Amino acid sequence: MTYQHLNSNVDLKQIKFRYNMAKWLTTASMLTVILLALYSIFYPGSQSNHKLHLTTDHDLTHSITNEDFAPKQNSNSAKRNSTCQFSTNNMMISNDSLLQALSYVSDQDFNNYCDSWDSEYGFSDDLHLNNQDCGNWQDAFSTLQQQRLQELEQLKTKIAENESLLNSDDVPAFVSYVCQEDPMHRGSRSCGGLADRMSGMISTFFYALMTNRGFFMNWQEGDPTSLESVFEKPTINWSFDPEDMKQLYKSDSLGFQSVNTLNFNWEKIRAAMFPDGPIQDFNELWTSKYVEVKSNRGYIIRTFEHSTRYTDTLNEMGLTKTNSFRCILDYLLRPKTGARRFINAYKQLFQMDSVLSIGLQIRTDDQAMAHPEDDTNNFETWNYFISCANDLRDAKRQPHHKRVVYFLLTDSNKLRQEFVAMNNNQTLRDRYIKDDQTSMVVTGLPIEHIEAKTVKTKFDANITDSDSDHERLLAGVNSAVIDNWLLSYTDYRLISRQGFGKMAAFHANDPRSTISLPRVDSKEHVVDCGNPNSFTTFDTLSTWWSLG
Ligand SMILES: *[C@@H]1O[C@H](CO)[C@@H](O)[C@H](O)[C@H]1NC(C)=O
Ligand SMILES: *[C@@H]1O[C@H](CO)[C@@H](O)[C@H](O)[C@H]1NC(C)=O
Ligand SMILES: *[C@@H]1O[C@H](CO)[C@@H](O)[C@H](O)[C@H]1NC(C)=O
Ligand SMILES: *[C@@H]1O[C@H](CO)[C@@H](O)[C@H](O)[C@H]1NC(C)=O
Ligand SMILES: *[C@@H]1O[C@H](CO)[C@@H](O)[C@H](O)[C@H]1NC(C)=O
Ligand SMILES: *[C@@H]1O[C@H](CO)[C@@H](O)[C@H](O)[C@H]1NC(C)=O
C-alpha cells in the first residue's frame, strides 16, 4: 500500500482512513454544497429537500439571466428566447461556469438549448446517442440473451423436477463479469475503479458476443455500490446473482470455471487470450458452460490487431477497432436519469455548432486528495496542459466557433479554483489562456473520483452501512461516471496517461480527438498540440496500463 514506507510511529490506520475519506470528501464545505445538490439530482422526487437546500445557499441560487451576460457578439441574428432564465438552481447544476459560457454561444444554439430544458425537470435526459455507425449486431445479441435466459429458466425447472437425464444441450452457456473484493488481496487484486471496471465489463461482453454466450455482470453490493444503482440497462438484462449462478453450475456439475486476468500485462493477456496465436478460437479458450470473469483488462483492439479468425465476423457485424468500445458501452450501460440530465446540460454546450470544446483531464497526485490543505498545484506547474489546449484551439478553431470552452477535470481543488478564476481575472487570462473568447467550465462535482482507481470500497474506507454513507458513496460513483461521460463528449480532450482518460477517449465519437500528455515530471513535456500527428491513436492507448 501507498503508505507502508511511512515513519512507523505514524498511526498508519489513521492516515489511511484520512486518506480515503479525503478522496470521498474534499472539504466539509464542499460536502454540504455538493451532497445536497447531488441528492437533488439523483433523487429528483424529493423536491422539498432540494428547495430547502438550494434556498439556503446563496451561491447556488445566484441566478444568471440573459441581462447579466448579454451576448458579446452576433447582434443581428435571431433573438434569444427570454423565457429561459437559467440559474444553477433551476438547472440543478452545481457550478455557474456553465451558465457563463452559455451566455456567449450563438442565439440559435442558445434557443435550441433552451428547448431541451424544462423548468420542472431540468434538462432533457435523452442522450441522443449517435449509434448509426455501430453495426448490426445489437438485435441479434438481444435475441440471443433472451433465449439464453429462457433456457436458464427451463434448466432450473428441470433440475427442480429432478430430471436426471440432462444433456449438455440443455445447459445454456454464459459468461459473466464480476467485481468482488478479494479479502486476501485487498487493493492489488480488487477490481479497481471505474476505468478498470469498464475495461473488464466491455471486454467480457466482447467475449460473449464472439462466442454466443449469454452475458451477465455484477458489482458486489457495497463495493462501493451495486451496478444497478448507477446504470440503467438500455437493452439487455445483465442482472444476476453471482452466487446462485455459481452454485447452480457447480453443484449440478454443469460446468463452472473462474477466470482471473486482473492486472495482467501486455504479454500475459496475449498468452491468456491467444495461446494458439492469431487463429485462436475463443470458444476453445474457456470451455465450461458458465465462465465467471474477473478482469480489469481490455483485449478488443488487440483482437482487431492480432486475430485472423475474427476479422470477417467483426467486419460483418460492423464493428471496428474504433467503434467497438463506444458501441458496446452505450449498448450495455446508460447512466441513470438524474445523471443524464446533468450530463446533457454540459454535453449540449460542448457539441454546439458555435462552440469548440476541449476537455482537460489533469491528474495530479494522491497528495492533493489526501491532504487538501497541502495542495500546492497551480497552473505555473501545469501550464503545459493549457499551452497544449491553446495550440489545439488555434489549429482547430473555425469561423462558426463563437466561443471556445475549456472543460477541466482534476483531482486538485486548487487547480480547479485557479482555472475558474481565469474566467474573470484578466491577469491570469493573459498569462495562460491568451484569448478573450475562451470560457473555463467545471462541473463542481466532488473531485475525489476523477482518478477511477480511487473508487474506494467500504472496506478500505472503513465505512459503516448507514444510509448516509451509502448515499455518499453512490454520489461519488455517479460523479465519476458523469465526469467520464462528459470528457468523452468534448470535441477534443487532453488526458493524463492513465485509465480514466483513456476510457473517455475510447468512448468518444472521433478516434483522432485525444492527446495524451506526459506526467508533470517527464522530460518529454513539450507536445506540439497544433500538429495533427499529436493525436494519440487507439493502438497506442491500448498498449498502456489497462490495455484495450
Ligand atoms: C422559448 O422556450 C420555451 C421553453 O423551452 C418554449 O416553450 C417556447 O416555445 C420558446 N419560445 C420561442 C419563441 O421559441
Ligand atoms: C432425485 O432423484 C434421485 C435418484 O433418481 C433420488 O435419490 C432423490 O431423492 C430425488 N430427489 C428429489 C428431491 O426428488
Ligand atoms: C432482470 O434479471 C433479474 C435477475 O434475474 C430479475 O430479477 C429481473 O426481474 C430482471 N428484470 C427484468 C426487467 O426482466
Ligand atoms: C464553481 O467552482 C469554482 C471552483 O471550484 C468555485 O470557486 C466556484 O465558487 C463555484 N461556483 C459555484 C456557484 O459553485
Ligand atoms: C488575479 O490573479 C492574480 C494571480 O493569481 C492575483 O494576484 C490577482 O489578485 C487576481 N486579481 C483579482 C482581481 O482577483
Ligand atoms: C475498521 O473498523 C473496525 C471497527 O471500528 C476495526 O476493527 C478495523 O480494524 C477497521 N479496519 C481498518 C482497515 O481500518
Side-chain angles (χ1 to χ4, degrees):
M1 291 305 298
T2 333
Y3 287 98
Q4 230 117 52
H5 58 275
L6 284 178
N7 199 327
S8 60
N9 62 10
V10 179
D11 184 341
L12 204 76
K13 226 181 258 170
Q14 187 76 31
I15 289 185
K16 216 180 142 222
F17 178 75
R18 206 180 131 78
Y19 168 80
N20 286 317
M21 290 314 283
K23 290 188 170 184
W24 293 105
L25 328 158
T26 310
T27 64
S29 65
M30 271 185 78
L31 173 69
T32 51
V33 175
I34 306 277
L35 277 186
L36 290 168
L38 273 177
Y39 190 84
S40 69
I41 292 165
F42 297 117
Y43 305 91
S46 56
Q47 284 297 321
S48 58
N49 186 310
H50 154 224
K51 285 215 178 80
L52 175 78
H53 162 62
L54 288 173
T55 49
T56 55
D57 189 303
H58 64 278
D59 276 350
L60 288 176
T61 51
H62 173 67
S63 159
I64 295 170
T65 61
N66 303 334
E67 287 77 58
D68 290 340
F69 288 92
K72 301 283 185 274
Q73 40 212 322
N74 70 295
S75 46
N76 55 355
S77 58
K79 272 267 188 300
R80 289 197 168 203
N81 186 336
S82 60
T83 60
C84 280
Q85 306 264 316
F86 295 127
S87 70
T88 49
N89 185 355
N90 68 23
M91 291 278 290
M92 292 200 247
I93 54 173
S94 48
N95 199 279
D96 56 12
S97 60
L98 169 69
L99 301 178
Q100 290 192 33
L102 204 52
S103 63
Y104 295 101
V105 305
S106 73
D107 289 346
Q108 196 187 344
D109 280 342
F110 183 91
N111 289 345
N112 288 341
Y113 191 88
C114 181
D115 287 341
S116 304
W117 173 79
D118 181 297
S119 57
E120 193 175 342
Y121 299 108
F123 225 79
S124 157
D125 66 354
D126 183 352
L127 273 182
H128 292 296
L129 296 172
N130 179 13
N131 280 341
Q132 257 121 55
D133 60 340
C134 278
N136 49 33
W137 49 273
Q138 293 85 343
D139 289 348
F141 192 86
S142 299
T143 306
L144 177 87
Q145 177 82 354
Q146 282 281 337
Q147 189 188 330
R148 293 282 177 265
L149 290 175
Q150 273 168 19
E151 289 164 355
L152 185 62
E153 284 315 306
Q154 285 160 7
L155 176 70
K156 284 178 182 164
T157 310
K158 281 184 184 166
I159 289 172
E161 287 167 356
N162 205 0
E163 272 183 36
S164 46
L165 289 176
L166 279 176
N167 71 46
S168 86
D169 290 347
D170 296 332
V171 184
F174 284 93
V175 62
S176 71
Y177 163 89
V178 294
C179 165
Q180 278 165 357
E181 188 78 6
D182 178 351
M184 303 304 290
H185 301 91
R186 231 165 248 169
S188 66
R189 298 291 299 278
S190 82
C191 50
L194 183 63
D196 281 307
R197 294 173 192 210
M198 285 166 75
S199 282
M201 292 188 291
I202 305 292
S203 286
T204 305
F205 176 82
F206 182 74
Y207 180 84
L209 188 61
M210 293 296 106
T211 56
N212 290 323
R213 285 172 181 262
F215 176 73
F216 292 131
M217 50 188 174
N218 181 271
W219 289 2
Q220 185 178 20
E221 187 72 46
D223 186 15
T225 184
S226 71
L227 193 55
E228 286 82 357
S229 57
V230 188
F231 292 107
E232 288 174 6
K233 307 166 216 176
T235 50
I236 61 165
N237 186 1
W238 35 253
S239 286
F240 82 123
D241 183 328
E243 209 42 48
D244 279 0
M245 188 72 183
K246 192 162 148 178
Q247 286 317 320
L248 178 69
Y249 276 70
K250 242 179 159 171
S251 60
D252 289 287
S253 312
L254 308 176
F256 167 77
Q257 184 173 6
S258 177
V259 171
N260 185 329
T261 61
L262 287 171
N263 301 335
F264 275 23
N265 65 15
W266 175 258
E267 267 313 303
K268 281 179 86 178
I269 281 289
R270 194 201 52 74
M273 299 309 300
F274 300 98
D276 295 343
I279 56 152
Q280 179 67 48
D281 181 351
F282 284 165
N283 283 302
E284 286 165 13
L285 212 49
W286 308 319
T287 52
S288 297
K289 286 287 188 177
Y290 173 43
V291 180
E292 181 192 87
V293 177
K294 294 177 182 164
S295 176
N296 53 3
R297 293 294 181 256
Y299 47 81
I300 297 178
I301 290 167
R302 191 71 167 265
T303 305
F304 280 96
E305 288 275 279
H306 189 62
S307 169
T308 51
R309 175 176 293 268
Y310 292 108
T311 312
D312 292 344
T313 314
L314 289 166
N315 201 17
E316 279 159 24
M317 286 180 169
L319 283 173
T320 66
K321 200 191 282 187
T322 52
N323 76 6
S324 294
F325 183 94
R326 168 173 58 86
C327 294
I328 293 174
L329 180 59
D330 291 339
Y331 175 76
L332 289 177
L333 298 170
R334 184 169 60 195
K336 295 245 163 176
T337 306
R340 292 209 303 280
R341 292 188 193 287
F342 192 95
I343 288 171
N344 264 333
Y346 287 82
K347 176 179 184 259
Q348 297 223 5
L349 170 74
F350 296 163
Q351 302 191 339
M352 283 175 179
D353 264 356
S354 62
V355 166
L356 173 69
S357 55
I358 301 178
L360 292 81
Q361 182 233 347
I362 306 184
R363 165 98 170 100
T364 62
D365 54 27
D366 290 344
Q367 283 308 307
M369 285 191 282
H371 303 282
E373 68 280 8
D374 298 336
D375 183 357
T376 57
N377 286 292
N378 58 41
F379 277 103
E380 220 166 284
T381 313
W382 292 98
N383 188 24
Y384 68 105
F385 268 84
I386 301 258
S387 309
C388 173
N390 292 346
D391 291 345
L392 190 58
R393 170 192 67 200
D394 297 344
K396 295 294 177 188
R397 190 168 184 179
Q398 302 288 319
H400 60 88
H401 292 135
K402 299 216 167 300
R403 199 70 185 172
V404 179
V405 165
Y406 288 177
F407 170 64
L408 178 72
L409 296 179
T410 182
D411 50 9
S412 160
N413 209 9
K414 276 269 165 55
L415 212 51
R416 185 154 83 174
Q417 277 162 1
E418 193 181 13
F419 183 76
V420 173
M422 291 175 195
N423 277 321
N424 302 317
N425 184 325
Q426 196 63 40
T427 316
L428 281 175
R429 253 188 122 77
D430 290 344
R431 188 180 309 157
Y432 296 113
I433 305 300
K434 302 180 166 74
D435 174 60
D436 279 336
Q437 287 163 356
T438 301
S439 286
M440 273 43 76
V441 172
V442 299
T443 61
L445 293 175
I447 63 175
E448 28 315 298
H449 304 284
I450 300 295
E451 169 51 25
K453 244 174 134 177
T454 62
V455 174
K456 283 290 165 186
T457 69
K458 73 173 178 188
F459 309 105
D460 278 349
N462 217 355
I463 282 168
T464 61
D465 283 318
S466 80
D467 284 351
S468 69
D469 281 338
H470 183 258
E471 253 152 44
R472 197 172 69 221
L473 295 175
L474 185 56
V477 180
N478 270 313
S479 67
V481 168
I482 289 171
D483 285 340
N484 202 281
W485 261 241
L486 284 179
L487 190 59
S488 75
Y489 292 140
T490 50
D491 294 329
Y492 298 96
R493 70 205 59 73
L494 315 178
I495 62 168
S496 294
R497 289 186 183 166
Q498 265 148 338
F500 192 85
K502 183 160 94 175
M503 291 301 120
F506 286 163
H507 193 189
N509 262 317
D510 181 356
R512 289 177 56 80
S513 58
T514 303
I515 298 177
S516 63
L517 292 180
R519 287 185 55 82
V520 69
D521 47 17
S522 161
K523 296 241 173 3
E524 25 153 6
H525 248 176
V526 186
V527 177
D528 176 8
C529 296
N531 183 336
N533 295 322
S534 296
F535 289 112
T536 313
T537 63
F538 280 19
D539 284 347
T540 301
L541 289 171
S542 74
T543 62
W544 292 343
W545 191 54
S546 57
L547 310 178

